[in-house]
Amino acid sequence: MSADALRPANLEEPRAVSARERDALIRELLDVVPSHGVLHDDEDLRPYECDGLSAYRRKPMLVVLPETIEQVQQVLRLCQAHQVPVVARGAGTGLSGGAFPLANGVLLGLAKFNRILAIDPDNRSARVQPGVRNLAISEAAAAHGLYYAPDPSSQIACSIGGNVAENAGGVHCLKYGLTVHNILELKVVTIDGELITLGGQSLDSPGYDLLALMTGSEGMLGVIVEITVKLLPRPERAQVLLAAFDSVERAGEAVAAIIGSGIIPAGLEMMDNNAIRAAEDFVHAGYPVEAEAILLCELDGTNAEVSEDIMKVRNLLIAQGATEVRTAGDDQERLRFWAGRKAAFPAVGRLSPDYYCMDGTIPRKNLGQILRRIGEMSGEFGLRVANVFHAGDGNLHPLILYDADTPGQLERAEDFGGRILELCVEYGGTVTGEHGVGIEKLNQMCTQFTPDELTQFHAVKAAFDPRGLLNPGKAVPTLHRCAEFGAMHVHHGQLPHPDIPRF
Ligand SMILES: Cc1cc2nc3c(=O)[nH]c(=O)nc-3n(C[C@H](O)[C@H](O)[C@H](O)COP(=O)(O)OP(=O)(O)OC[C@H]3O[C@@H](n4cnc5c(N)ncnc54)[C@H](O)[C@@H]3O)c2cc1C
């Protein structure tokens, strides 16, 4: 296997499907899904050829857009009968290629499942379909003084089903937890068309915690068709501080100091100079463009709590060497500070024809060191990087800038990204913070986990999907892939996974 074959886009396809088999499947699908929900013409398939990891594209064999749970059940039964793999897709904003289609597979779009079924203010919960946009839940709950806490930067577009499948995070997850901590119950259709309920309407349920297992399973264990989410009361007050630093390392150390002091901010985000300038040019948030790094620290709670915490954090930031600390004077200014952070990804998109967004997590105390290493590697690889990320969680998002039209640059960006993830593992972190593994981080999963651990993951997959028809080839690498990857990454003369045969 060549190095190229290990690149995410060069994944193996499951068995080929003949034109006759495809036509037979289309005919049977048309018996269970309205004709406008079965797409097979070239021009109808094009919009589905990639997700947010748009460097990789492949046209699906078919796109199916069911409208009811019964239709999802029948579609999955048909795919199982024909042995055709299925890739679930929410809004397609995923950044690790989780919804990357298969040329011999069905892409199952959940976009038509876009209804909020019930809001229960007494139980502080909402029952929603998987295609509902993340932000739409908070908008609907606002009338009751409630909101849904996990807020990915993509919340205006991404679906709650995709959030569950990726265990999505966001600015407010530092204090309020990731998606897995904010859902109560899931309804899921298995590959053989059975509808199962995981979790329940109360806080705990008996047996293994399959709700947590399904969360973050990247469409590989079942198709999520309904979600009950927890809602939280809007805090009495929220206020944000903006602190400027003349070095990213000092800003990183300030993050560790804030959390170490016992204060848990509602959000604690960092941007480096490239990201600050890009965001400022884009949305005019009033950021100090000369700063090497800024921190945005939001505190929420009762009036008294926020006043006290603001004072403490301000003093701490100054003690940590902040060159300037500003407190948003009103809600308008607070939203303006956040607007720059929320728009940072598209803003960085204006700096370079393409960027590659990485996602890894490290212990907070190492933030400064890792950011310095990333800066050094940026020189070694000859590619610029903008850093904008959930600093409080230690969740890095280096955006590697490249030009796909310059031969070799995409490959260099991939290698650079891979090295950053391996660095995260070296420091005791993980290869994903919130974007999932998808196709992007398959090789780095080999660095993170031992063959025994990966074998256990495959066993869990087989318990739900014995024939491997749900999103095959994603999230959990085969041991052979790891052996090939390991063979190319001999570290200090030690061959990883020496027990696995090389091909
Ligand atoms: C600008 C930008 C900013 C982002 N910021 C953040 C951020 O702050 N935090 C964060 O966590 N992510 C972020 N993301 C990544 C992305 O938005 C999230 O991963 C999101 O959860 C994906 O939701 P989606 O509906 O687009 O899912 P898709 O991309 O359609 O699918 C993602 C995965 O979920 C599976 N899936 C989707 N729906 C279902 C279902 N109903 N049942 C089973 N499996 C399903 C798919 O098979 C795939 O594996 C960002 C993306 C962009 C483009």
Side-chain angles (χ1 to χ4, degrees):
M1 196 188 289
S2 71
D4 266 0
L6 288 168
R7 298 209 177 278
N10 295 327
L11 294 167
E12 282 167 36
E13 274 277 347
R15 74 175 185 95
V17 177
S18 71
R20 236 174 85 202
E21 284 177 291
R22 176 177 178 267
D23 291 345
L25 179 60
I26 292 174
R27 273 196 306 278
E28 289 173 45
L29 285 167
L30 286 170
D31 285 340
V32 299
V33 176
S35 56
H36 57 259
V38 181
L39 312 182
H40 47 84
D41 290 338
D42 194 65
E43 63 182 306
D44 292 334
L45 298 176
R46 283 276 167 227
Y48 297 92
E49 65 185 2
C50 71
D51 60 5
L53 186 64
S54 55
Y56 309 109
R57 288 166 193 271
R58 181 159 65 185
K59 213 161 38 101
M61 179 177 76
L62 298 174
V63 173
V64 182
L65 304 169
E67 295 172 18
T68 64
I69 292 179
E70 292 70 26
Q71 289 174 13
V72 173
Q73 292 177 282
Q74 286 171 310
V75 171
L76 290 181
R77 282 189 198 118
L78 282 177
C79 288
Q80 164 140 288
H82 285 265
Q83 293 294 294
V84 168
V86 183
V87 178
R89 176 179 162 118
T93 67
L95 291 171
S96 57
F100 187 59
L102 292 161
N104 292 308
V106 163
L107 193 75
L108 185 73
L110 279 307
K112 290 184 189 284
F113 283 75
N114 59 1
R115 281 185 309 129
I116 293 179
L117 301 169
I119 293 196
D120 182 346
D122 293 332
N123 282 320
R124 288 190 186 160
S125 66
R127 215 157 47 78
V128 301
Q129 291 189 314
V132 169
R133 288 178 308 113
N134 170 297
L135 188 59
I137 302 176
S138 290
E139 285 169 350
H144 306 279
L146 300 171
Y147 76 113
Y148 175 64
D151 53 347
S153 307
S154 52
Q155 67 180 153
I156 193 168
C158 64
S159 76
I160 185 72
N163 290 175
V164 175
E166 296 285 8
N167 192 17
V171 167
H172 285 99
C173 292
L174 173 62
K175 183 165 183 179
Y176 297 107
L178 296 165
T179 303
V180 69
H181 307 112
N182 286 277
I183 56 174
L184 285 169
E185 185 182 279
L186 294 177
K187 290 199 190 308
V188 175
V189 179
T190 63
I191 185 64
D192 43 19
E194 191 189 345
L195 180 65
I196 57 173
T197 301
L198 306 178
Q201 298 299 321
S202 53
L203 276 184
D204 194 12
S205 39
Y208 293 123
D209 190 353
L210 299 180
L211 182 77
L213 178 62
M214 192 60 66
T215 311
S217 64
E218 303 196 25
M220 293 179 60
L221 303 182
V223 175
I224 299 153
V225 289
E226 194 182 297
I227 301 136
T228 303
V229 299
K230 295 181 199 168
L231 299 174
L232 294 180
R234 289 219 161 268
E236 193 179 308
R237 182 175 152 203
Q239 201 154 11
V240 65
L241 290 161
L242 185 160
F245 289 84
D246 57 12
S247 99
V248 278
E249 282 171 272
R250 245 193 290 281
E253 282 152 18
V255 168
I258 292 171
I259 306 290
S261 76
I263 295 171
I264 305 291
L268 183 52
E269 301 284 304
M270 193 198 289
M271 295 165 74
D272 73 4
N273 186 264
N274 279 337
I276 296 167
R277 285 181 187 273
E280 186 55 26
D281 280 354
F282 194 37
V283 295
H284 311 296
Y287 289 167
V289 290
E290 299 304 326
E292 283 304 313
I294 60 168
L295 288 182
L296 290 168
C297 180
E298 180 161 300
L299 298 151
D300 71 0
T302 63
N303 243 322
E305 281 165 352
V306 175
S307 298
E308 192 180 328
D309 286 351
I310 286 273
M311 282 291 290
K312 280 191 197 157
V313 173
R314 168 178 270 282
N315 290 339
L316 225 147
L317 288 165
I318 291 167
Q320 289 293 319
T323 51
E324 182 189 357
V325 182
R326 288 188 221 157
T327 309
D330 53 27
D331 227 38
Q332 234 179 347
E333 195 175 11
R334 181 176 80 89
L335 294 176
R336 193 154 50 79
F337 283 176
W338 279 124
R341 165 62 185 93
K342 294 247 168 193
F345 281 22
V348 169
R350 290 161 27 124
L351 294 183
S352 153
D354 302 280
Y355 71 74
Y356 192 13
C357 173
M358 297 313 296
D359 162 53
T361 304
I362 50 144
R364 274 181 294 262
K365 64 178 189 315
N366 299 120
L367 265 175
Q369 291 156 281
I370 296 249
L371 291 172
R372 192 185 62 240
R373 278 295 294 130
I374 292 175
E376 287 164 6
M377 287 199 282
S378 164
E380 290 159 24
F381 282 91
L383 296 172
R384 284 184 299 157
V385 180
N387 283 292
V388 44
F389 59 98
H390 308 309
D393 303 311
N395 181 195
L396 302 173
H397 287 326
L399 304 176
I400 303 171
L401 312 187
Y402 72 98
D403 179 357
D405 289 335
T406 304
Q409 279 215 2
L410 169 62
E411 290 73 14
R412 232 177 323 134
E414 286 175 336
D415 290 342
F416 184 4
R419 275 297 299 131
I420 293 175
L421 296 181
E422 286 154 34
L423 194 66
C424 291
V425 177
E426 275 169 41
Y427 274 89
T430 73
V431 298
T432 173
E434 53 184 19
H435 295 171
V437 174
I439 54 171
E440 181 198 31
K441 299 168 186 160
L442 276 172
N443 291 345
Q444 283 69 36
M445 286 288 281
C446 309
T447 308
Q448 178 102 59
F449 294 103
T450 65
D452 285 348
E453 288 165 331
L454 293 173
T455 303
Q456 293 305 327
F457 286 165
H458 285 296
V460 171
K461 162 87 173 150
F464 281 82
D465 177 23
R467 294 184 188 84
L469 293 174
L470 286 171
N471 218 1
K474 311 275 175 70
V476 186
T478 62
L479 297 187
H480 288 154
R481 185 178 177 115
C482 289
E484 289 301 309
F485 173 68
M488 293 189 309
H489 281 69
V490 178
H491 186 58
H492 295 317
Q494 289 172 332
L495 186 70
H497 314 300
D499 45 321
I500 302 173
R502 265 72 180 166
F503 295 92

